[in-house]
């Protein structure tokens, strides 16, 4: 049996599942109840482990949608004249804009 804290056990197992591609970037994880049953812990333990992985940048929690594996985070290099588009282009990515709302006066 695992000797540490239960949330650390769940956290390390989810982290290992991500590293081994059981959960792939952009993929939705099972809900907290399913994970709790899988690891033999309660839902609060799973939520604590997920929160830890979210703070580390491995998971993204979307209210009402679920928990997702983060898709390759972008390294952002800082310099006196940092430009977002330059950082993205250097990593082979594109910058896009999406208008979320329009306020007319």
């Amino acid at each position: 049996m695992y000797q540490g804290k239960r949330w650390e056990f769940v956290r390390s197992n989810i982290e290992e599942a991500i590293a081994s591609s059981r959960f792939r970037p952009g993929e939705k994880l099972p809900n907290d109840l399913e994970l709790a049953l899988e690891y033999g812990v309660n839902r609060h333990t799973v939520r604590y482990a997920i929160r830890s992985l979210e703070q580390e940048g491995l998971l993204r929690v979307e209210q009402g949608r679920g928990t997702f594996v983060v898709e390759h985070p972008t390294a952002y290099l800082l310099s006196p004249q940092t430009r977002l588009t330059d950082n993205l282009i250097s990593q082979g990515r594109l910058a896009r804009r999406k208008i979320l709302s329009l306020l007319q006066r």
Side-chain angles (χ1 to χ4, degrees):
M1 183 67 184
Y2 185 78
Q3 297 299 315
K5 296 177 182 174
R6 291 181 180 157
W7 73 268
E8 291 172 340
F9 165 74
V10 173
R11 181 189 183 285
S12 66
N13 276 275
I14 294 172
E15 193 171 23
E16 185 178 304
I18 293 168
S20 69
S21 295
R22 176 176 162 214
F23 299 131
R24 293 191 164 87
E27 185 177 334
K28 183 178 176 181
L29 267 62
N31 66 39
D32 54 356
L33 181 58
E34 292 169 327
L35 289 171
L37 291 172
E38 179 178 340
Y39 296 118
V41 297
N42 67 45
R43 293 171 66 185
H44 299 289
T45 301
V46 170
R47 288 179 182 164
Y48 198 85
I50 287 172
R51 191 174 320 121
S52 172
L53 290 167
E54 181 182 25
Q55 289 172 347
E56 190 176 310
L58 289 175
L59 296 178
R60 177 182 80 250
V61 178
E62 294 183 19
Q63 183 73 30
R65 289 197 60 220
T67 302
F68 299 84
V69 178
V70 169
E71 300 178 53
H72 311 290
T74 302
Y76 197 83
L77 306 174
L78 295 177
S79 68
Q81 303 245 328
T82 300
R83 299 282 184 259
L84 173 64
T85 52
D86 293 340
N87 270 299
L88 293 174
I89 290 169
S90 72
Q91 297 176 48
R93 301 178 84 172
L94 296 174
R96 302 187 294 242
R97 293 184 193 174
K98 181 178 180 181
I99 298 173
L100 300 177
S101 66
L102 181 64
L103 183 69
Q104 293 187 2
R105 293 179 191 233

